[in-house]
Amino acid sequence: GFAAYYAEEWDVTAPADVDGEGEPHGSWKSLETVVPDLNLDVSGQSVTIRRTNSARLAGPLHKTTVPSDGITATYEGKPLPDGTRRYRGLNDGDLATVLGETEAGGGVIPEQVFAGDRSAFEKSQQDAASGLLFSGICSMILSPFVLIGGLLGAIFRRRR
């Protein structure tokens, strides 16, 4: 099993068409995150990572899928039954970077556990920041057009 993991369940909804035709739709629903007390080896010294259910696990995690029975919906080109569980996590001995706060007793309360070294963690953070910057710039460029469209829509609605 995993040393730390999060679990999701595949939730399939039947089509809502009047005649019952159409394809079922599925989505992953978060179930739980489990990060027990762990000992992290840092340059030959042991650092205790404290138990939490709120840390975010990220990076290239290991994945295990446990299929279930039920109606299916397509996921990544394959039918996947309702109730299927997906576990993503870290194995004992995996390289990990932990972002968190130090505790008075000497441990670390993790906010994020990243599967990989510090440089890979920093690159993932830079990639996320550049994506947010790009979407922010696009939003600023489009906002005047949305404002003008809303004003024109309000003016022409009043004339009717």
Side-chain angles (χ1 to χ4, degrees):
F2 294 124
Y5 67 91
Y6 70 91
E8 299 170 298
E9 186 173 76
W10 184 244
D11 183 33
V12 177
T13 54
D17 297 341
V18 176
D19 57 4
E21 299 282 327
E23 295 290 320
H25 174 73
S27 61
W28 290 106
K29 305 291 183 201
S30 180
L31 292 178
E32 65 179 341
T33 299
V34 176
V35 179
D37 285 344
L38 299 170
N39 289 322
L40 191 65
D41 183 37
V42 180
S43 302
Q45 294 184 352
S46 183
V47 176
T48 301
I49 307 301
R50 297 293 178 205
R51 172 187 306 267
T52 184
N53 293 330
S54 61
R56 189 169 81 91
L57 299 176
L61 300 166
H62 301 283
K63 181 174 77 170
T64 299
T65 304
V66 180
S68 179
D69 294 324
I71 62 171
T72 62
T74 303
Y75 176 70
E76 294 182 344
K78 298 177 186 172
L80 195 61
D82 184 45
T84 295
R85 292 201 173 188
R86 176 172 68 179
Y87 298 89
R88 292 183 181 208
L90 295 162
N91 290 329
D92 189 24
D94 283 351
L95 182 63
T97 302
V98 178
L99 177 66
E101 295 182 15
T102 54
E103 190 178 50
V108 175
I109 302 168
E111 294 172 17
Q112 183 171 354
V113 179
F114 182 83
D117 63 5
R118 182 179 175 151
S119 63
F121 172 71
E122 288 173 350
K123 176 154 179 22
S124 76
Q125 296 298 307
Q126 289 172 346
D127 291 346
S130 65
L132 289 173
L133 176 65
F134 180 74
S135 65
I137 290 171
C138 289
S139 296
M140 289 188 318
I141 291 170
L142 293 175
S143 63
F145 297 109
V146 172
L147 178 65
I148 291 170
L151 290 173
L152 290 175
I155 290 170
F156 287 118
R157 253 187 256 137
R158 288 185 183 172
R159 288 186 155 179
R160 289 184 184 177

